[in-house]
């Protein structure tokens, strides 16, 4: 599988991270302005915890993220763990 494994140790170091992680699984239901804020948080956390193994950027796709090369993916649920 090309799914990226996120470290089991939590990357959420603050109450805000915990709140944002909870919202990540509801991304598609958030208003556009809140999606922008959520996306900024998600990209920061992805860079910290699960960069693409091949060094590509992560792009938002329905239900999660796909690396820009198309070889790796992660769901919103994985990011929220």
């Amino acid at each position: 599988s090309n799914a990226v494994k996120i470290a089991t140790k939590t990357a959420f170091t603050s109450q805000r991270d915990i709140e944002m992680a909870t919202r990540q699984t509801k991304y598609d239901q958030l208003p556009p302005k809140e999606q922008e804020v959520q996306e900024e948080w998600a990209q920061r956390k992805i860079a910290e915890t699960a960069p693409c193994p091949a060094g590509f950027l992560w792009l938002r796709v329905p239900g999660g993220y796909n690396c820009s090369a198309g070889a790796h993916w992660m769901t919103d649920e994985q990011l929220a763990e």
Side-chain angles (χ1 to χ4, degrees):
S1 164
N2 284 335
V4 173
K5 302 288 187 221
I6 297 177
T8 54
K9 182 180 174 188
T10 185
F12 308 133
T13 56
S14 69
Q15 185 61 39
R16 183 167 193 279
D17 280 347
I18 294 167
E19 291 168 9
M20 297 301 277
T22 301
R23 290 167 38 114
Q24 187 65 34
T25 59
K26 301 172 186 126
Y27 181 93
D28 294 330
Q29 301 159 13
L30 297 173
K33 231 11 179 171
E34 289 183 35
Q35 283 182 346
E36 287 179 31
V37 172
Q38 192 68 32
E39 180 64 11
E40 290 173 11
W41 175 85
Q43 289 293 339
R44 203 166 40 254
K45 284 299 159 188
I46 289 169
E48 290 173 9
T49 62
C52 171
F56 291 94
L57 296 175
W58 289 97
L59 304 174
R60 179 79 195 159
V61 296
Y65 293 86
N66 196 16
C67 79
S68 57
H72 305 104
W73 56 271
M74 78 174 74
T75 66
D76 286 328
E77 287 78 14
Q78 288 173 310
L79 180 57
E81 288 179 350

